[in-house]
Amino acid sequence: EAFEKMFACQNRFSDGLEAVLAKHTIPWSLTRSGARCELQFMPTLPKNGSDAKNHFDWQLMYYTHVYLANQGILITPFHNMRRFPPMATEEDIDALIKAWDDCLGELAELGKKNK
């Protein structure tokens, strides 16, 4: 029962974040595995660890983490992975998606201004 809840949370979040990426035309992807997902700064899923490492952007990761922390949301500090506990609520997941939407919306606007 706990695993079913965790997997459902991951799917709700991943579906929501993929919709946010599409909304802002950001070519990133999500690796999904059980109750875990990881945001990749690349348009397709990595083929291996080296591929993922070559597309990682530490400054961008730090920016997004600080942005979310300023919204009262703490995520895994050393990469872009999320794991969802069985006690997470739909409201928790929706708040996380909303915070990512706000963050990526601002990044998309910055990108347009710097072109």
Side-chain angles (χ1 to χ4, degrees):
E1 184 179 319
F3 286 114
E4 287 177 19
K5 175 87 162 110
M6 294 161 66
F7 297 168
C9 288
Q10 180 275 123
N11 283 317
R12 183 181 185 90
F13 173 74
S14 294
D15 291 345
L17 185 54
E18 286 176 342
V20 167
L21 293 170
K23 172 183 171 182
H24 298 293
T25 320
I26 297 174
W28 298 344
S29 58
L30 287 173
T31 301
R32 299 179 186 215
S33 179
R36 173 186 178 273
C37 71
E38 186 166 356
L39 180 62
Q40 309 289 339
F41 297 134
M42 53 194 296
T44 59
L45 295 177
K47 295 179 178 87
N48 54 45
S50 294
D51 194 20
K53 181 181 176 187
N54 291 336
H55 288 89
F56 206 80
D57 184 327
W58 286 102
Q59 289 183 331
L60 186 55
M61 186 206 56
Y62 292 142
Y63 173 87
T64 58
H65 284 236
V66 169
Y67 187 99
L68 294 174
N70 285 333
Q71 305 303 313
I73 296 174
L74 296 176
I75 58 175
T76 309
F78 49 87
H79 55 74
N80 281 329
M81 181 186 67
R82 315 290 167 269
R83 285 194 184 143
F84 296 93
M87 73 283 287
T89 65
E90 290 183 356
E91 291 79 17
D92 294 332
I93 304 302
D94 293 346
L96 182 55
I97 294 167
K98 167 83 168 76
W100 272 103
D101 188 12
D102 294 344
C103 178
L104 297 181
E106 288 188 25
L107 279 174
E109 282 300 313
L110 287 171
K112 289 176 189 174
K113 289 178 183 178
N114 291 324
K115 281 188 176 185

